Amino acid sequence: MDPKNGSSFTSLILLGFSDQPQLERVLFVVLLIFYLLTLLGNTTIIALSLLDPHLQTPMYFFLSNLSFLDLCYTTSTVPQLLVHLRGPDKSISFGGCVAQLFIALGLGGTECILLGVMAFDRYAAICRPLHYTVIMHPRLCVLMASASWFIGFANSSLQTVLIFLVPLCGRNKIDHFFCDVAPLLKLACVDTTVNESELFFVGVIILLIPMALITFSYGRIVRVVLRIKSIAGQRKVFGTCGSHLTVVSLFYGTAIYAYLLPSNNHSQNQGKFISLFYTIITPMTNPFIYTLRNKDVTSAMKNVLYGGCDSR
């Protein structure tokens, strides 16, 4: 079969879970509930951060950025997946596939960097409390958040162009539920070793550099916390940092499994369920992890709902 450039296709087929029709019905109900919870939780975080003056701090500025990012990330894949789970038509236009890959890669890369920035914010708050307002100046916060988005989408632009320059052998069926890197490369009719090596190298940079920053930040935080003689003080710090570490573990664990481990280490179905985890489960749980036992957010919610009748 003659090689064809991807642009010669008018549409692509996302096979998703079509080989398991009974699973599709269950997934539709579960994912619809999870998606609605994702919208509710992340929208609440953003609204509270904007409406309550007590939450207009660097920590909640970055958290609202993360919530907006999670909203966009989930919305880029899940609504279409729900449509595909309910009907026989599994097609996606070629332009839609390009856009979906670009957005998913961009938001995923942005989240990697943003989680590192949030760890630095916690380091500054706990290890440099007297200089915190100077270090985390509003202008620097905006700059770091903007840099996270810029780097994430600059990398996504490069990767999307490189992937869709690979010639396809007339095949238009993607064994996945959204347009992701690995399933698209499997459609190629040429050796993709160079592409895979380049993607692995970039993945290591995007994932491991923020992880190094997170490790450094929390290493210093632990040293400071161990010097705190008050048990209540230790619990307060660990409670604040524990939420972020839980989110980091969920996101990085699944991302490393999906993008850095060799694909022959896991089956295609395992890859799909791992992708479901970081496209819907993690964005849904993030708001609840951050707000669980968070008195600031609970108090802000009461103030917004009851018109500020509850004092702090």
Side-chain angles (χ1 to χ4, degrees), residues 126 221 225 228 232-242:
I126 295 166
I221 288 171
V225 171
I228 300 175
Q234 289 183 348
R235 285 179 179 172
K236 183 177 180 180
V237 174
F238 279 128
T240 303
C241 296

Side-chain angles (χ1 to χ4, degrees), residues 5-38:
N5 184 281
S7 60
S8 63
F9 293 118
T10 57
S11 65
L12 298 164
I13 306 297
L14 292 168
L15 296 177
F17 303 93
S18 55
D19 59 334
Q20 304 173 70
Q22 292 192 353
L23 177 62
E24 284 190 321
R25 288 191 284 271
V26 175
L27 277 177
F28 176 82
V29 176
V30 172
L31 293 181
L32 178 60
I33 294 171
F34 284 1
Y35 182 56
L36 293 176
L37 288 174
T38 302

Side-chain angles (χ1 to χ4, degrees), residues 123 126-127 215-228 234 237-238:
Y123 158 77
I126 295 166
C127 301
T215 304
F216 167 79
S217 298
Y218 279 105
R220 299 298 295 270
I221 288 171
V222 169
R223 288 178 60 186
V224 170
V225 171
L226 291 178
R227 295 195 193 112
I228 300 175
Q234 289 183 348
V237 174
F238 279 128

Side-chain angles (χ1 to χ4, degrees), residues 17-305:
F17 303 93
S18 55
D19 59 334
Q20 304 173 70
Q22 292 192 353
L23 177 62
E24 284 190 321
R25 288 191 284 271
V26 175
L27 277 177
F28 176 82
V29 176
V30 172
L31 293 181
L32 178 60
I33 294 171
F34 284 1
Y35 182 56
L36 293 176
L37 288 174
T38 302
L39 295 179
L40 175 63
N42 286 289
T43 302
T44 300
I45 292 289
I46 295 169
L48 291 176
S49 298
L50 293 173
L51 295 174
D52 193 291
H54 295 88
L55 298 188
Q56 291 172 7
T57 63
M59 175 182 172
Y60 292 101
F61 168 74
F62 292 124
L63 180 56
S64 61
N65 261 267
L66 183 65
S67 292
F68 177 69
L69 189 154
D70 282 339
L71 277 177
C72 295
Y73 192 45
T74 304
T75 303
S76 70
T77 57
V78 174
Q80 183 184 61
L81 172 59
L82 291 173
V83 171
H84 287 179
L85 289 173
R86 287 294 293 166
D89 184 12
K90 314 289 186 184
S91 63
I92 180 173
S93 67
F94 176 77
C97 188
V98 174
Q100 191 175 67
L101 179 67
F102 171 72
I103 293 170
L105 284 176
L107 294 172
T110 301
E111 183 155 353
C112 286
I113 300 166
L114 193 59
L115 287 172
V117 170
M118 292 172 75
F120 176 76
D121 171 64
R122 293 298 81 210
Y123 158 77
I126 295 166
C127 301
R128 297 287 186 270
L130 298 179
H131 302 93
Y132 179 66
T133 55
V134 176
I135 296 171
M136 300 305 294
H137 188 273
R139 186 177 298 174
L140 178 62
C141 294
V142 172
L143 181 62
M144 288 194 294
S146 301
S148 301
W149 286 87
F150 176 78
I151 294 170
F153 278 92
N155 171 62
S156 175
S157 300
L158 174 63
Q159 302 308 326
T160 302
V161 169
L162 291 177
I163 289 169
F164 282 100
L165 284 177
V166 175
L168 310 180
C169 289
R171 294 174 290 181
N172 69 336
K173 293 183 178 180
I174 303 171
D175 192 11
H176 211 291
F177 64 85
F178 75 102
C179 292
D180 201 6
V181 176
L184 280 167
L185 285 179
K186 288 181 180 179
L187 301 182
C189 56
V190 296
D191 184 15
T192 59
T193 303
V194 174
N195 299 77
E196 291 170 3
S197 299
E198 185 269 337
L199 285 166
F200 178 82
F201 176 74
V202 172
V204 167
I205 293 174
I206 294 291
L207 282 168
L208 296 190
I209 289 181
M211 276 192 70
L213 179 60
I214 292 168
T215 304
F216 167 79
S217 298
Y218 279 105
R220 299 298 295 270
I221 288 171
V222 169
R223 288 178 60 186
V224 170
V225 171
L226 291 178
R227 295 195 193 112
I228 300 175
K229 296 183 179 180
S230 166
I231 300 298
Q234 289 183 348
R235 285 179 179 172
K236 183 177 180 180
V237 174
F238 279 128
T240 303
C241 296
S243 301
H244 181 251
L245 279 175
T246 303
V247 171
V248 166
S249 301
L250 288 172
F251 180 79
Y252 277 94
T254 52
I256 289 172
Y257 186 93
Y259 290 102
L260 295 188
L261 292 182
S263 58
N264 54 11
N265 283 8
H266 51 82
S267 68
Q268 185 62 28
N269 279 337
Q270 281 180 314
K272 291 176 188 177
F273 283 105
I274 288 295
S275 297
L276 275 180
F277 197 91
Y278 65 75
T279 55
I280 183 67
I281 305 298
T282 302
M284 179 197 71
T285 55
N286 282 356
F288 297 101
I289 291 171
Y290 277 111
T291 57
L292 191 64
R293 296 172 62 191
N294 188 316
K295 293 180 181 179
D296 290 337
V297 175
T298 304
S299 182
M301 194 174 297
K302 289 179 180 178
N303 285 342
V304 170
L305 291 177

